Amino acid sequence: MILLGIETSCDETSVALLEANSKTQLLTKLLAIETASSLTTHAKTGGVIPEIAAREQLSYMLPVLSTCLKKGLNFDYGKTVPQIDAICVTYGPGLIGSLLVGIETARVLSYLWNKPLIPVNHLYGHIYANWLPQSENTHQRTIIQFPALALVVSGGHTDLVLMQSHSRITVLGGTRDDAAGEAFDKIGRLLGLSYPAGAEIEERAKKGNPKYIHFPRPLIGEKTYDFSFSGLKTAVLRHVQATPELTEQLINDLCASTQAAIIDVLVRKTLTAAQEYTVKSILLGGGVAANQTLVDSLTLNAKRLTLNAEIFVPQKSYCTDNAAMIAAAGFFRREEISWQTLSPNPELYFD
Ligand code: KG4
Ligand code: ZN
């Protein structure tokens, strides 16, 4: 079967065509993916302005959709119905104006083409990015074994989720305040870096000293799988305020010390949960999973603990928001809905 995925929860407008085999339950091929981003506009304002993000979604949607259909299925305007079996679309969480663009597009296509519509929770999308084929022409990688532990680390979320199967899911913990990506972005702003700051902090951290300051590692040793990163932001702010001049080297040292604090907490909580629930797989997902230093630290510490779990990380371009992961989640968690009843849910969490 072929799934059309649509993702517009924030500042990426993404459409993908994913081929899957219902009998073997494998994702066989990513036929095409097109993604446009309004990130450069938001970099100028230091963060996403929802109204602008929504307007950009509107201007990108049809060009992205038509290019993807052309590339993946040679489908042109004027032809009747493309060879697809279902339409999967993000319905939350996210910015209401942005979500509406994807949802309205999906509803209209479902109505016009008479195709099933599958609403997808964006958070599951980040988890199911791990099931995607490694590249456009390769097969889904090793079959992921349950129980699996997923760490979703994005701009809006830091969640630890236990998956006994595709349908039995328990949230072990989440962030009590700022998400990990949000912490990277807010601290980056304090240091004068442009939005989003995660990737630049990682690059600068390579030239800095992670032990320059031992920033707080909130909740690290406590018996909870919740996270809290707002205290870290305050600690960095105090340090910046007390510093007469932020030299390039000092910024690099602060980046390295900040990153070390965030990674320590993420790794410790994830591995503690992996041990407690004796999971067979650990899945990372979300923009912060693109951080190689995080992946290396997780891998190294899992080895130290002789943990018997395989670690999965999506290809970098599928860590950040994209429509392929939405199609993948739609395939494994297929719950059809009529185009008449679909509406956005900006506050959606795991169900
Ligand atoms: O998943 P995503 O694209 O959007 C949300 O659903 O939020 O994640 C974006 C977040 C941003 O906060 C960005 O700073 C962070 O992912 N990010 C990184 C890296 N690349 C992106 N954080 C740390 N290291 C990176 N290399
Ligand atoms: Zn996301």
Side-chain angles (χ1 to χ4, degrees):
M1 68 186 301
I2 295 175
L3 301 130
L4 177 73
I6 301 179
E7 154 63 34
T8 65
S9 65
C10 186
D11 50 3
E12 263 86 32
T13 313
S14 186
V15 178
L17 286 160
L18 182 65
E19 189 186 76
N21 186 322
S22 305
K23 279 203 190 110
T24 59
Q25 285 288 296
L26 288 175
L27 302 180
T28 43
K29 198 173 176 186
L30 184 58
L31 300 173
I33 178 158
E34 278 298 301
T35 304
S37 173
S38 55
L39 213 68
T40 46
T41 314
H42 307 303
K44 289 179 204 144
T45 48
V48 176
I49 297 174
E51 164 84 18
I52 298 192
R55 283 170 188 242
E56 298 278 289
Q57 291 284 2
L58 265 182
S59 68
Y60 288 141
M61 190 69 237
L62 286 176
V64 165
L65 174 72
S66 55
T67 308
C68 184
L69 288 171
K70 175 76 188 166
K71 279 191 186 167
L73 295 171
N74 202 21
F75 180 85
D76 275 315
Y77 170 74
K79 291 189 181 172
T80 47
V81 181
Q83 292 284 317
I84 61 163
D85 299 282
I87 301 165
C88 311
V89 63
T90 304
Y91 75 110
L95 304 170
I96 180 84
S98 291
L99 286 168
L100 276 169
V101 176
I103 287 177
E104 285 310 302
T105 306
R107 291 178 69 207
V108 169
L109 295 180
S110 168
Y111 166 76
L112 280 178
W113 294 340
N114 193 21
K115 300 287 182 188
L117 189 57
I118 304 174
V120 175
N121 179 331
H122 182 85
L123 301 174
Y124 282 113
H126 279 305
I127 294 178
Y128 279 93
N130 285 288
W131 270 263
L132 284 171
Q134 282 288 64
S135 71
E136 285 181 23
N137 286 312
T138 57
H139 215 259
Q140 178 184 330
R141 53 172 127 175
T142 337
I143 293 181
I144 294 170
Q145 291 196 60
F146 294 115
L149 177 72
L151 173 70
V152 179
V153 265
S154 67
H157 283 267
T158 307
D159 297 307
L160 260 181
V161 179
L162 180 67
M163 299 174 78
Q164 301 287 0
S165 67
H166 287 296
S167 56
R168 276 184 59 211
I169 282 154
T170 315
V171 179
L172 302 180
T175 183
R176 294 185 183 170
D177 39 57
D178 292 352
E182 198 177 352
F184 272 111
D185 296 338
K186 287 182 175 170
I187 291 169
R189 194 174 181 161
L190 293 176
L191 300 175
L193 312 182
S194 61
Y195 174 88
E200 189 178 352
I201 290 184
E202 183 178 17
E203 272 322 293
R204 281 179 170 271
K206 290 179 187 152
K207 296 176 260 166
N209 176 7
K211 294 192 173 132
Y212 177 72
I213 303 181
H214 187 87
F215 282 129
R217 271 98 169 127
L219 303 179
I220 195 164
E222 291 181 34
K223 238 195 136 348
T224 169
Y225 290 120
D226 280 352
F227 300 87
S228 162
F229 291 110
S230 71
L232 175 62
K233 179 188 61 194
T234 315
V236 179
L237 173 66
R238 283 212 194 97
H239 192 82
V240 170
Q241 284 169 337
T243 308
E245 192 197 353
L246 272 181
T247 61
E248 283 299 306
Q249 187 53 48
L250 184 56
I251 296 176
N252 295 345
D253 289 337
L254 291 172
C255 285
S257 301
T258 296
Q259 179 176 266
I262 296 175
I263 289 179
D264 272 4
V265 177
L266 295 176
V267 168
R268 172 89 78 91
K269 299 255 175 216
T270 305
L271 295 181
T272 307
Q275 281 181 309
E276 181 176 347
Y277 295 96
T278 28
V279 298
K280 294 195 174 135
S281 318
I282 298 176
L283 318 173
L284 295 193
V288 181
N291 188 299
Q292 193 56 44
T293 323
L294 165 66
V295 176
D296 292 346
S297 170
L298 190 71
T299 311
L300 186 76
N301 284 288
K303 259 201 199 119
R304 273 194 198 138
L305 295 171
T306 55
L307 216 68
N308 208 8
E310 195 173 348
I311 297 174
F312 294 86
V313 188
Q315 201 179 297
K316 276 197 194 324
S317 51
Y318 303 135
C319 286
T320 45
D321 294 350
N322 68 85
M325 69 184 198
I326 300 303
F331 176 69
F332 288 107
R333 298 179 52 83
R334 193 177 171 142
E335 282 168 30
E336 288 172 27
I337 187 175
S338 154
W339 61 267
Q340 281 141 315
T341 46
L342 179 63
S343 61
N345 185 348
E347 305 302 328
L348 186 66
Y349 194 48
F350 285 100
D351 37 34

